[in-house]
Amino acid sequence: MNIPIRMIGLATTFVWIFLVVFLVSAVYSVRDSQFDLGKPQVSVTMENKLLVSLPINIVNNGYYDIGAFNLTTEILDADGFMIRRDSTFLRIISRGGKVTALHDVTLNFDDLLDSSEDYLFNDTDLTVAAFAGMRIAEFIPVQVSTNFSLPWGGPLYNFTLGEPERAGFNLTHFRVTVPMSFENHAFFDVIGNIQVQMYSSSDLLVGDNRTSIEAPQHSMYNGRVEFHVPITELTSRGRFNVYFQTSFFECGPLVIHYG
């Protein structure tokens, strides 16, 4: 059976008209839908990991279902290197439907310290790169992306050891007191121990002591560490080696010179 060329051409025209109408309606469907990423919330898990929760709000006011919605976020350090990547998948958002979900990113503190120990002592902004992919009417792929900043506060911001203050202890030793302070700008409490080793100008270990610390989030810490140093070994110049041990991180030595 031969089909007239005119009918084939007419059918082809109808197919193209259908495709054009479908594509236009799909574009308007995306335009009429609302995609919103809420303000990230940062908390601490029972395993002492950092949890970044990003609310996802989707309102599908379009003409078609939205399927295979996938949100992927990458947390980047100040130099643009990726620290962590996580994804959240939503199978379908029906036409006229509304979905609210949480996109969670779990971050080990060690992941940050592997990038730089400056995150302990300085405030900065981490970058969150978000990529969303979906299919309109299970057919047309759509991708969008955005970046935003995630403020980071150093838990040991402006950590300082003051100049050693000496006083008589006995005939052979001085009592040496060293003031210690920092500001906890983090969103978690800093509880643990700080070990301080005191070295003379001749690189001789003359004092070693450990002190416990407890600094609630967004608070100032002031304390001190004491040594009993032999009179013959105390010099006006030297250095401190500082080691930190908390439930979130361990690091050291931080070298601080005195005199």
Side-chain angles (χ1 to χ4, degrees), residues 76-83 115-116 118-119 124-127:
L76 312 175
D77 66 14
D79 296 320
F81 293 102
M82 186 178 67
I83 302 172
S115 174
S116 173
D118 286 344
Y119 290 110
T124 188
D125 283 330
L126 301 174
T127 299

Side-chain angles (χ1 to χ4, degrees), residues 74-131:
E74 296 178 350
I75 297 182
L76 312 175
D77 66 14
D79 296 320
F81 293 102
M82 186 178 67
I83 302 172
R84 179 75 180 182
R85 172 188 288 172
D86 279 286
S87 297
T88 295
F89 180 80
L90 301 175
R91 191 179 67 84
I92 192 168
I93 301 99
S94 301
R95 181 181 62 176
K98 179 179 179 181
V99 172
T100 299
L102 278 180
H103 171 72
D104 290 336
V105 181
T106 303
L107 189 65
N108 287 323
F109 208 100
D110 289 341
D111 295 336
L112 284 174
L113 297 187
D114 287 343
S115 174
S116 173
E117 289 189 355
D118 286 344
Y119 290 110
L120 291 176
F121 308 102
N122 296 294
D123 296 343
T124 188
D125 283 330
L126 301 174
T127 299
V128 180
F131 310 90

